[in-house]
């Protein structure tokens, strides 16, 4: 690294001690500028429309995504996940966490800048604010002006629209836990259960306060991800970076002495557009959510003054130091994250494709292990639990194999009708002639077979207990 560059970087680092972190005592009114990253932010935030739409999508006549807590089922299109399958949820959580780590290692806080609900909702709220109250200068003037009819009108309109978004956010969240259409009806007829009102009220309040008032403060002080991101990034991570060598010494475009200056004309546009109030020229800092707005701003300014863009750009520390960026597969962090990701994805795919349509469990009664009936026969009791995970009613037959002298008591115990999506526990008794038992524990297998619909056959190994030798 050249001495000149080293000295410029040191100057910047000295400056970095003067990082300004807004502690919430001032409202940031960021300017909006069109550009590549601004467009990408819109496209990314548009994905959240799915959040509002999905509760109304139907699949096979039922809600496509439904967390049915009373019945302990999670419906995901054609798949129904029961508590027994919740191990997949841990894999999904691992998948999400590792994806976040991997993306952060490669490109910093992309999640924060483009996809996070906090930044997306804040972006929608500030867009409305911009449309209603005007640009940042007009907004600051309005804030400072005494209350007037105009100020009341503008502020009221803004808050009503914010509240409508917050209300829709809360209602959409609640709609993932019950039938969405029925929920609307029950809210509108004021007949919704208390828990539905609590969920709606909580989500409404959090959305309205977090996106409308706290904004970047949530990222600074409440978000745990912002705190741990520094351990995930390294010198290879691509982040919005100010090109110190090219930009410094910064100064006005036309200076009196016609001194040689760097490309930064100190216009402060990059700071003016930053939604978290960061000056990226003082180096990477905690408040930066890597949204790229400063890149758009600086590129537009460079275009105006006839200089090449990229004074602020996505670049790694190594690139800035003139080193080659290693290929992704040569970065240990990325390789390890990718391997864990592949394992988690493999586990989820395996789990989803191997969820049995019916589950069977058999528990042998322990107290007593058996009873001797008045005619001398030996009787054992079992608790059977069967879950029909399919979307159809099933007619099934229970039988036993492996113990010739043991039979099920009662024909009716063998034929089972059970409805779609239900768990049925029932008792079954097996009997055997005492003389026919050759050992204390006679192994046998319960078989549960479908008599209609798809061919389903389940087996469960158990034992028949008897008093041989006594
Ligand atoms: S410094 Fe740039 S990339 Fe970082 S938050 Fe501000 S505008 Fe976004
Ligand atoms: S927008 Fe570009 S030129 Fe203007 S102050 Fe920021 S870095 Fe310098």
């Amino acid at each position: 690294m050249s001495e000149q560059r080293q000295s410029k970087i040191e100057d910047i680092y000295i400056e970095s001690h003067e990082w300004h972190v807004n502690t919430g005592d001032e409202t940031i009114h960021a300017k909006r500028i069109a550009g590549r990253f601004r467009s990408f932010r819109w496209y990314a935030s548009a994905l959240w429309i799915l959040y509002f739409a999905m509760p109304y999508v139907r699949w096979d006549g039922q809600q496509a995504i439904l967390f049915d807590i009373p019945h302990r089922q999670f419906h995901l299109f054609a798949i129904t996940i029961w508590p027994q399958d919740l191990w997949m949820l841990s894999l999904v959580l691992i998948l999400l966490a590792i994806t976040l780590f991997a993306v952060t290692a490669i490109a910093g806080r992309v999640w924060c800048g483009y996809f996070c609900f906090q930044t997306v909702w804040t972006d929608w709220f500030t867009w409305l604010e911009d449309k209603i109250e005007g640009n940042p200068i007009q907004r600051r003037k309005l804030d400072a002006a005494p209350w007037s009819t105009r100020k009341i009108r503008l502020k009221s309109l803004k808050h009503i629209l914010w509240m409508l978004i917050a209300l829709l956010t809360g209602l959409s969240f609640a709609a993932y836990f019950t039938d969405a259409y029925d929920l609307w009806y029950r809210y509108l007829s004021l007949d919704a259960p208390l828990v539905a009102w609590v969920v709606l009220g909580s989500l409404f309040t959090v959305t309205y306060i977090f996106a409308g008032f706290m904004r970047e403060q949530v990222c600074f002080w409440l978000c745990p991800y912002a705190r741990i991101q520094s351990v995930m990034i390294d010198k290879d991570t691509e982040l919005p970076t100010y090109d110190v060598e090219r930009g410094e010494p910064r100064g006005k475009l036309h200076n009196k002495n016609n001194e040689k200056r760097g490309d930064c004309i100190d216009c402060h546009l990059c700071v003016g557009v930053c939604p978290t109030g960061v000056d990226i020229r003082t180096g990477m800092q905690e408040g930066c959510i890597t949204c790229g707005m400063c890149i758009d701003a600086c590129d537009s300014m460079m275009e105006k003054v006839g200089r090449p863009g990229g004074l602020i750009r996505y670049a790694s520390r190594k690139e800035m130091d003139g080193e080659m960026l290693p290929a992704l597969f040569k970065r240990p962090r990325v390789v390890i994250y990718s391997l864990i990701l592949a394992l988690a994805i493999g586990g989820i795919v395996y789990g989803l494709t191997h969820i049995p349509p019916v589950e069977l469990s058999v528990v042998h009664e322990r107290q007593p292990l058996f009873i001797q009936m008045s005619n001398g026969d030996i009787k054992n009791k079992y608790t059977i639990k069967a879950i029909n995970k399919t979307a159809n009613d099933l007619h099934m037959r229970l039988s036993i194999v492996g113990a010739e002298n043991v039979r099920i008591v009662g024909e009716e115990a063998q034929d089972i009708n059970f409805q779609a999506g239900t768990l049925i526990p029932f008792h079954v008794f097996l009997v055997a002639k005492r003389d026919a038992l050759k050992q204390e524990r006679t192994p046998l297998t319960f078989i549960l077979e479908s008599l209609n619909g798809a061919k389903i056959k389940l087996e469960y190994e158990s034992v028949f207990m008897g008093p041989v030798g006594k």
Side-chain angles (χ1 to χ4, degrees):
M1 196 186 311
S2 70
E3 272 178 33
Q4 192 190 16
R5 173 169 163 70
Q6 183 67 41
S7 121
K8 280 175 189 169
I9 290 174
E10 274 163 16
D11 286 349
I12 289 292
Y13 289 162
I14 289 164
E15 209 174 324
S16 72
H17 290 294
E18 294 154 17
W19 282 356
H20 168 69
V21 177
N22 176 13
T23 51
D25 42 0
E26 56 183 289
T27 305
I28 293 174
H29 287 297
K31 191 175 168 66
R32 284 177 174 262
I33 279 193
R36 286 177 294 157
F37 293 102
R38 176 68 265 173
S39 304
F40 184 64
R41 258 191 123 184
W42 278 127
Y43 295 137
S45 67
L47 290 174
W48 277 102
I49 290 171
L50 289 174
Y51 164 76
F52 295 103
M54 283 318 293
Y56 308 99
V57 175
R58 305 279 126 175
W59 189 269
D60 264 351
Q62 69 171 12
Q63 197 161 310
I65 301 179
L66 179 66
F67 295 88
D68 186 352
I69 290 176
H71 296 104
R72 298 193 190 129
Q73 296 171 15
F74 169 41
H75 299 282
L76 183 67
F77 295 90
I79 300 165
T80 299
I81 297 173
W82 288 70
Q84 291 85 342
D85 307 315
L86 277 187
W87 58 271
M88 274 188 287
L89 184 65
S90 34
L91 284 181
V92 171
L93 293 177
I94 291 174
L95 178 80
L96 294 177
I98 297 297
T99 305
L100 196 62
F101 292 172
V103 170
T104 309
I106 295 168
R109 293 169 67 181
V110 175
W111 162 256
C112 301
Y114 302 98
F115 301 100
C116 172
F117 33 82
Q118 171 61 25
T119 43
V120 167
W121 263 247
T122 300
D123 200 39
W124 292 342
F125 275 42
T126 50
W127 178 80
L128 277 172
E129 192 172 60
D130 197 74
K131 293 290 160 217
I132 295 167
E133 295 182 359
N135 63 35
I137 297 171
Q138 293 166 322
R139 300 211 293 271
R140 281 191 200 98
K141 268 190 192 160
L142 188 71
D143 284 350
W147 283 101
S148 62
T149 320
R150 178 176 172 272
K151 184 167 174 175
I152 292 172
R153 183 169 48 81
L154 294 179
K155 294 278 179 196
S156 304
L157 177 61
K158 178 180 83 173
H159 284 281
I160 287 170
L161 291 175
W162 281 3
M163 283 189 225
L164 281 177
I165 296 177
L167 201 62
L168 197 58
T169 304
L171 208 148
S172 302
F173 185 80
Y176 282 97
F177 296 88
T178 186
D179 183 274
Y181 294 103
D182 182 55
L183 185 69
W184 269 97
Y185 172 77
R186 298 185 75 173
Y187 274 137
L188 292 174
S189 57
L190 303 180
D191 184 34
L194 179 64
V195 65
W197 289 111
V198 171
V199 170
L200 177 61
S202 308
L203 262 289
F204 168 83
T205 310
V206 167
T207 307
Y208 181 57
I209 292 176
F210 278 20
F213 301 94
M214 291 184 67
R215 300 182 182 179
E216 78 289 343
Q217 298 301 313
V218 176
C219 312
F220 287 174
W221 314 115
L222 294 184
C223 178
Y225 174 54
R227 307 257 149 222
I228 57 168
Q229 52 145 338
S230 55
V231 298
M232 290 180 248
I233 60 175
D234 53 26
K235 286 184 168 186
D236 298 322
T237 307
E238 302 261 346
L239 300 166
T241 308
Y242 170 66
D243 189 336
V244 179
E245 194 156 8
R246 188 184 141 193
E248 300 297 317
R250 69 186 79 156
K252 298 294 170 203
L253 185 57
H254 304 291
N255 58 74
K256 283 182 191 158
N257 306 330
N258 237 0
E259 289 163 354
K260 178 90 179 80
R261 301 264 192 207
D263 275 351
C264 175
I265 61 169
D266 209 14
C267 64
H268 276 257
L269 193 57
C270 51
V271 186
V273 296
C274 178
T276 60
V278 163
D279 185 347
I280 194 69
R281 296 172 302 166
T282 58
M284 192 57 196
Q285 48 204 282
E286 193 183 323
C288 177
I289 55 169
T290 72
C291 65
M293 297 302 98
C294 52
I295 302 179
D296 282 344
C298 192
D299 281 350
S300 74
M301 189 49 72
M302 289 295 106
E303 196 181 334
K304 279 189 191 130
V305 298
R307 291 177 187 170
L311 178 56
I312 303 175
R313 60 182 182 273
Y314 265 97
S316 69
R317 183 82 185 272
K318 273 192 182 162
E319 278 175 278
M320 282 299 183
D321 289 345
E323 293 176 41
M324 286 286 288
L325 200 61
L328 282 180
F329 64 85
K330 289 188 179 168
R331 292 170 59 181
R333 243 175 233 256
V334 177
V335 172
I336 292 168
Y337 290 151
S338 306
L339 284 175
I340 301 174
L341 263 182
L343 285 174
I345 291 171
I348 292 166
V349 170
Y350 176 84
L352 289 178
T353 50
H354 287 75
I355 291 178
V358 175
E359 269 194 23
L360 173 69
S361 74
V362 179
V363 178
H364 187 284
E365 186 81 25
R366 290 192 173 274
Q367 287 189 340
L369 280 171
F370 61 86
I371 56 168
Q372 184 158 359
M373 299 193 319
S374 54
N375 64 357
D377 288 355
I378 303 301
K379 192 176 189 179
N380 281 203
K381 183 181 176 187
Y382 301 81
T383 301
I384 312 270
K385 279 188 184 163
I387 306 172
N388 177 2
K389 294 181 173 180
T390 70
N392 305 310
D393 294 350
L394 289 174
H395 182 201
M396 303 195 82
R397 169 151 296 173
L398 185 72
S399 57
I400 51 166
V401 294
E404 279 177 17
N405 302 314
V406 181
R407 61 182 173 82
I408 297 179
V409 177
E411 282 292 312
E412 70 286 352
Q414 290 181 256
D415 283 345
I416 307 150
N417 284 309
F418 63 120
Q419 292 175 337
T422 55
L423 179 152
I424 46 166
F426 58 100
H427 298 297
V428 159
F429 296 94
L430 302 188
V431 288
K433 294 279 179 211
R434 178 171 180 159
D435 302 345
L437 295 174
K438 307 272 186 296
Q439 51 197 341
E440 270 185 49
R441 296 167 56 90
T442 306
L444 54 83
T445 304
F446 282 88
I447 307 272
L448 188 63
E449 276 180 286
S450 60
L451 300 177
N452 70 328
K455 186 160 171 47
I456 298 167
K457 184 175 179 185
L458 298 148
E459 296 183 6
Y460 202 100
E461 287 179 6
S462 187
V463 288
F464 185 89
M465 304 297 294
V468 177
K470 290 182 183 172

